[in-house]
Amino acid sequence: MKYLILIQSNPRTLEIWEAMSDQQRMEFGRGHRKLTGEMEEAGVYVASEGLADPSLAKWVSVRDGRTIASDGPFAEVKEHLAGFYLIDCASTEDAIAWAAKVPDAANTEVEVRPVLDMSGWEF
Amino acid sequence: MGVLTGIEDLLRAAAPQVLAAVVRRYGDFDTCEDAVQEALIAATRQWPVEGVPDNPRSWLITVAARRRIELLRSENARRSRESQVAADPTPEVRGDDELALLLLCCHPALTPVSQVALTLRAVGGLTTAEIARALLVPEPTVGQRISRAKQRIRDCGARFAMPDPDDLGERLTGVRQVLYLIFNEGYTASSGARLHRVELTAEAIRLTRQLRDRLPADGETAGLLALMLLTDARRPARTRPDGALVPLAEQNRALWDAAAIAEGVEIITGALRDTRLGPFQLQAAIAAVHDEATRPELTDWRQIQLLYGMLHALAPSPMVTLNRIVASAMVDGPSTALAALAEAAADPALAVHHRVAAVRAHLLEMAGDPAAAREQYRLAARQTLSLPERLYLESRAARLA
């Protein structure tokens, strides 16, 4: 089973981040790298990335065959995706145990979402 | 292409025999497994160019034995053992080795994902890259699962040998579970065109067939093989070209694989007659009843209901309970089945099962309550973990709008 662990950024997480010392922020980054290594070591790792600031996002749509890429509307968005881990493990319990190791979980919370597979039940 | 496929088949068939022969001779499963992998890769490169050697297995064993020494030589700590190792005579292929190898790869000390990865590589002769593509995970992740599995085997002192007769039965149960897991991995990932993807269902059938050849009197192995054949036979009709799921009742039965069905029916009939009954045999028998109906309305639901009753007594599970209720709806009508579902869902283990709503929706639709059925279909669509199933449930709901 694949699970996506989502790390959101919102006013609350931002407040915690801003209160951190340089040292604490460095520890935080180290914690993420260590976790990636642990996931690789355990054979559950699929992918993980941290995302750039949403002000750099482009909003893409296609109308009448034309691609339109625009900035925003990020101003009113209070919460955005800051990073994720995609893992492949045996159960929801395992996924929760991995999510608990995400450094952000110690301050705020992270979200665990099961990924849809292609299985089907015939009846 | 023909030549290449021939070589691939040859290598896949030889892989476990070669590995078993080398492990039996030298004992260190971990290094031997790496060495055989390298020998297989060398053969994939050389044979298409230089031709297949007269005795492919001896060639692979010789190369693997040589690679093993090279691997050991690169490990300084083991240098002292190398001269003694180099003088050993060449290992040979023996009958029971492959079974011992399969048992080792499915050792109960390993996690299911490790068992799957190690079995596919050591017994199936697949490369790490092929396994990764088949399981839809990155190659290093599979590599890590294999190396952890081998380390675990080393740490727990598991030996390359046939277990005691007393333990064999239980160990074989584990092996069958791993093979079934491989089959289901393939079955669940089979939708959508994935070029160059190793077919895990075909691989699981091949390995189960080998196991059955070795243990012809084992009823549950026969049952597992029959179940795989009878389930896989429906695959061409199971999804539409766009990947959408087709329920059993709506499948184009002309697309079912008649040869696979005939073989599966023959195997399960023999097993039911000659061996002790087990859960895989019952599941295969149920699949056979479905597959033998040329039209959905000819399905012998009474027989299916009976078989699910036996399965429930032998190996109860939420899925068995739900399928039994679906069968009872076809025999006793939807209201009886709805009452049975309400009763079953009172069990906390079943109450949270994501397919309860799907069954309830189906029964409500049968009972002529489209509004309630639609609501349950929508609920089921939100609860499922399968994309094609979600699309199917959503379309059922929309059809009742």
Side-chain angles (χ1 to χ4, degrees):
Chain A
M1 280 287 316
K2 287 202 182 95
Y3 293 87
L4 188 67
I5 301 171
L6 299 106
I7 303 157
Q8 301 287 352
S9 174
N10 55 40
R12 193 156 55 100
T13 64
L14 216 60
E15 202 179 302
I16 291 166
W17 179 254
E18 275 166 5
M20 279 185 187
S21 67
D22 281 354
Q23 180 64 29
Q24 283 172 315
R25 290 181 188 183
M26 214 132 84
E27 289 292 323
F28 204 76
R30 213 172 281 143
H32 275 288
R33 280 196 298 281
K34 186 166 160 277
L35 178 59
T36 303
E38 269 184 59
M39 287 172 170
E40 286 169 342
E41 171 80 10
V44 300
Y45 180 82
V46 179
S48 81
E49 302 292 351
L51 302 183
D53 192 83
S55 65
L56 299 170
K58 294 290 177 192
W59 294 73
V60 180
S61 58
V62 179
R63 296 289 179 274
D64 303 320
R66 257 186 56 230
T67 301
I68 306 152
S70 63
D71 300 334
F74 56 86
E76 63 263 33
V77 177
K78 288 238 163 30
E79 187 167 81
H80 65 263
L81 189 65
F84 67 86
Y85 289 88
L86 182 62
I87 58 171
D88 185 54
C89 61
S91 64
T92 308
E93 288 68 33
D94 284 0
I96 290 170
W98 283 110
K101 294 183 173 208
V102 175
D104 305 72
N107 298 325
T108 53
E109 64 272 312
V110 297
E111 185 182 356
V112 177
R113 296 270 301 272
V115 172
L116 290 175
D117 63 23
M118 299 303 286
S119 65
W121 179 37
E122 289 175 305
F123 68 86
Chain B
M1 187 65 203
V3 174
L4 248 185
T5 311
I7 290 177
E8 271 170 30
D9 289 348
L10 184 61
L11 287 172
R12 303 271 299 285
Q17 298 169 348
V18 170
L19 175 56
V22 178
V23 176
R24 179 162 47 73
R25 184 68 195 84
Y26 301 119
D28 50 342
F29 177 74
D30 193 349
T31 314
C32 289
E33 205 278 326
D34 285 332
V36 170
Q37 264 294 309
E38 292 190 19
L40 292 171
I41 290 165
T44 322
R45 293 210 187 101
Q46 290 179 29
W47 294 2
V49 183
E50 296 165 14
V52 178
D54 290 340
N55 189 338
R57 282 183 185 79
S58 302
W59 188 98
L60 287 165
I61 289 171
T62 308
V63 172
R66 208 179 292 146
R67 287 285 152 92
R68 176 179 166 274
I69 292 165
E70 285 163 13
L71 288 169
L72 290 178
R73 204 169 270 158
S74 67
E75 284 179 63
N76 288 336
R78 301 202 188 189
R79 189 170 282 170
S80 57
R81 286 170 55 186
E82 139 208 339
S83 53
Q84 172 212 334
V85 154
D88 284 339
T90 310
E92 57 199 46
V93 172
R94 259 197 231 165
D96 254 5
D97 283 357
E98 277 179 80
L99 180 55
L101 185 65
L102 186 58
L103 286 162
L104 188 65
C105 292
C106 302
H107 195 279
L110 306 179
T111 62
V113 288
S114 293
Q115 292 170 329
V116 165
L118 190 59
T119 300
L120 287 173
R121 201 167 99 152
V123 188
L126 297 177
T127 64
T128 308
E130 286 171 323
I131 300 166
R133 277 201 297 276
L135 296 175
L136 311 176
V137 293
E139 192 177 333
T141 298
V142 172
Q144 198 55 36
R145 287 179 188 175
I146 291 168
S147 74
R148 277 172 73 93
K150 293 199 290 192
Q151 195 180 337
R152 186 88 189 91
I153 283 177
R154 205 169 48 219
D155 293 348
C156 76
R159 285 173 313 118
F160 173 71
M162 287 299 285
D164 296 333
D166 290 349
D167 297 336
L168 185 62
E170 205 183 315
R171 294 286 303 277
L172 281 174
T173 303
V175 168
R176 284 190 294 264
Q177 267 157 6
V178 172
L179 294 173
Y180 193 46
L181 202 55
I182 293 172
F183 178 81
N184 278 323
E185 282 283 354
Y187 207 64
T188 57
S190 64
S191 303
R194 287 209 174 83
L195 286 174
H196 311 299
R197 202 177 60 78
V198 173
E199 286 296 340
L200 286 183
T201 47
E203 184 59 18
I205 290 171
R206 188 176 76 89
L207 296 176
T208 308
R209 212 185 272 285
Q210 279 176 6
L211 183 63
R212 185 178 174 250
D213 288 345
R214 207 136 265 129
L215 304 164
D218 186 62
E220 276 298 87
T221 300
L224 176 60
L225 178 60
L227 175 62
M228 287 177 177
L229 289 167
L230 293 164
T231 308
D232 198 44
R234 298 196 290 258
R235 183 152 48 140
R238 205 177 143 256
T239 45
R240 296 206 172 84
D242 62 0
L245 205 62
V246 186
L248 205 44
E250 292 168 26
Q251 289 180 13
N252 176 0
R253 297 179 181 222
L255 295 177
W256 288 0
D257 182 343
I261 291 172
E263 191 191 356
V265 167
E266 193 191 323
I267 293 170
I268 189 56
T269 307
L272 288 172
R273 186 186 57 224
D274 302 330
T275 70
R276 210 177 76 183
L277 193 63
F280 278 127
Q281 291 170 69
L282 285 167
Q283 289 175 76
I286 291 162
V289 175
H290 278 300
D291 287 8
E292 283 181 313
T294 48
R295 292 201 309 274
E297 59 272 26
L298 297 177
T299 308
D300 187 348
W301 284 103
R302 203 169 288 279
Q303 178 80 357
I304 290 173
Q305 187 186 26
L306 185 80
L307 289 164
Y308 271 122
M310 291 164 79
L311 191 55
H312 180 72
L314 208 60
S317 78
M319 284 307 290
V320 170
T321 303
L322 291 177
N323 280 319
R324 191 184 177 195
I325 288 168
V326 170
S328 106
M330 302 304 286
V331 177
D332 309 315
S335 28
T336 307
L338 275 166
L341 183 65
E343 198 180 315
D347 176 358
L350 201 74
V352 296
H353 200 281
H354 66 277
R355 274 169 179 154
V356 169
V359 171
R360 191 174 288 123
H362 173 69
L363 299 178
L364 286 166
E365 190 182 355
M366 276 178 80
D369 188 347
R374 197 178 65 209
E375 196 185 310
Q376 289 296 314
Y377 275 128
R378 287 208 176 122
L379 176 63
R382 283 200 299 275
Q383 290 177 341
T384 181
L385 294 171
S386 151
L387 182 58
E389 199 171 288
R390 185 169 80 182
L391 294 172
Y392 166 75
L393 292 163
E394 279 169 351
S395 87
R396 292 303 277 210
R399 214 159 66 173
L400 294 175

